[in-house]
Amino acid sequence: MKITLRDIAKMAGVSHMTVSRVINHDSMVRPEIRKKVMDVIEECDYTPNMSARALNSGETKVMGVLVLYDPEEFPAYFLTTILVGISSLLTKDEYHLSLHFDQLHKVRNLVPGHLLTDNRMDGLFVISAENNEFLLERLSAIRLPIVVVNQQVPMSGVSCIDSDEYSGAYAITTHLLRNGRRRIGFIGGTPSYNSTNMRQRGYEAALVDFGLRSDPALCGVGYFSSTGGREAAKKIIALQAGVDAIFAASDLMAVGAMSAVYEAGLTIPGDIALAGFDDNEFSKAAYPPLTTVRKNRSQMGVEAAQAMLDILARKKAGGAPLVVRKTLPTELVVRESSGSALTG
Amino acid sequence: MKITLRDIAKMAGVSHMTVSRVINHDSMVRPEIRKKVMDVIEECDYTPNMSARALNSGETKVMGVLVLYDPEEFPAYFLTTILVGISSLLTKDEYHLSLHFDQLHKVRNLVPGHLLTDNRMDGLFVISAENNEFLLERLSAIRLPIVVVNQQVPMSGVSCIDSDEYSGAYAITTHLLRNGRRRIGFIGGTPSYNSTNMRQRGYEAALVDFGLRSDPALCGVGYFSSTGGREAAKKIIALQAGVDAIFAASDLMAVGAMSAVYEAGLTIPGDIALAGFDDNEFSKAAYPPLTTVRKNRSQMGVEAAQAMLDILARKKAGGAPLVVRKTLPTELVVRESSGSALTG
DNA sequence: TATAGTGATGTTACCGGTAACAGAAAAATA
DNA sequence: TATTTTTCTGTTACCGGTAACATCACTATA
């Protein structure tokens, strides 16, 4: 049914090894024979069988991506961008990308063999929001080269690429402070998430450096959802505590908070300046456009892919295992929701 | 280095075929021997090599997903949801999902062999917005079972799962009409996209059924982007043509249009009712919350996966090729942006 | 011219599973 | 007990590539 290398060989009147040499661009083939073989290959639409190749090379030319988010809090927009970034680099090296959602519990469920075990991929990207013990334990049990994307894991032997969310939060808070805001509320995401933590710490550090202190009453939790952001903002506003700005740890929550501000009959940025985090596709469409922090997610994917390729190259060369840990800069994106331009 | 079936056999003191039978749950093994083998397997963390399996079964247990969107207009949120849907079903059957972005030009670039050719996947999902000739031609050249997701292709022999966008657009336009709106503007997406077409036709049909006609002056193009939606809305508003509602063919454009309405000093829904399409995560967070049409994208993924499994099952059974064409219903989601409740 | 050296091609075995058949042991029947 | 049948286990070959080695033709060197 399917055409094999030996079929091509027969048709071209050569041995199967000659065909193998042709498709591998091995120089040891006379040009005329190479051409004859190539003609047959093209005529038959022949493509080598990757399973056979993988079987004796041990390389599958597949990279896995394990996505470990709760579907409820799934950052759809942001996942795709990372994937595009990873893919753009890997494609050049003819890798396929194998996508897996939240199958952590199956990682070591061995016998059926179709899971995240060594044989079906050469490396694994892990995209996760939390670094709980469960994750860390499991990661160390996987024998594959791993690159954790979007967060820094505490174990120093694990490669990871993340964004400098702390600095981003610090910068945006400072921006609000420079605009004259002094009572800045904070809406955090899901408490167990790493980014919640980082963003809050950046926020608090900026306040401290301005001689202020964060007021626990002004800090809410929005669980990274728009309704969560809205509810949290409502509570903060209801305090009548003179809040003049709200920094929400995600754009989605910021947009929710926007609604709450409007519902309270207040203006943005007149009464309350608003800032988000992420720079989603809809944050510049908000009214007013949302000041936020941009994570270059596509770049994060690219860097992760590069790290993986480097790690595999090193492994192939037999060197000591390479560990890549990189934190990419974030960028403050000033739009109208945060009020007038810098005053100094 | 890596443990193979024969290693296990040696350790357990049986032949490799016995091990093969154990991992395939073949009944022809005495319980005591099965246990002995299983113990060794677990102790060694053995997993069968999928490349070897694929090599003689011909089944790779991998499904490909080809995403054919312009990165600029990339529907990030919606892609992920479809993927989760597909994945949820395929995972049960132990398939892996292999993700590919816009590599159409490589589909037949044969020799390197790491591309979208027959040998690395058992089936292919194509997620695309347009059905241009280029796509159709290429699709017919692929020998793999294909399911097109998110649009209906004209060739009747190709399986596809889409949403009833026409009816959705019809329903939401009717909803605006029932709310007393009579001068309803329309903002279309990228003209070449199928959904642009469907949504506009639904809009026009509703007008006609209400004894009205669409006014070309009130129809803009927003290219599915928020700024596009905003610009288009600006133009429509500037006409001073008594527009009392705008139906944008995507939520993102609708949110852009919202800004334009506010910038013009008008109210929503007081002066202008607004409606979108998609039901994105941010549409309910908008102020006011956006009336829209929900496409059950996750369900679309599930249905596509089921179709693919059915097609493969049929193929395996040697029956005539199965073609599945299914249009899933859409759902009108009424929120505040479209004005007061039905008046009749 | 004999010999070594080089370039091009073919032969064989192997990667790690599974199918198909062969063979041995246990159970059923005569 | 002998024979047939059934149940279980082992042997061999094969899937479609590639590595390693063998072979052969032809050129360069002695």
Side-chain angles (χ1 to χ4, degrees), chain B residues 16-56:
Chain B
H16 70 277
M17 270 314 292
T18 300
V19 179
S20 175
R21 286 179 185 116
V22 168
I23 63 177
N24 288 291
H25 308 110
D26 190 315
S27 56
M28 295 286 120
V29 181
R30 286 212 322 268
E32 60 215 81
I33 294 197
R34 148 163 290 131
K35 182 173 181 329
K36 193 168 62 180
V37 171
M38 282 301 287
D39 287 351
V40 178
I41 286 178
E42 299 212 347
E43 194 186 336
C44 300
D45 264 11
Y46 165 74
T47 315
N49 181 319
M50 283 306 290
S51 300
R53 278 188 166 171
L55 183 54
N56 54 6

Side-chain angles (χ1 to χ4, degrees), chain B residues 113 199 326 344:
Chain B
R199 293 170 195 184
K326 206 164 183 175

Side-chain angles (χ1 to χ4, degrees), chain A residues 107-129:
Chain A
V107 168
R108 300 192 65 220
N109 175 15
L110 295 166
V111 173
H114 309 290
L115 310 170
L116 291 171
T117 43
D118 324 40
N119 316 60
R120 296 185 77 179
M121 43 190 81
D122 299 338
L124 181 64
F125 299 95
V126 177
I127 305 184
S128 165

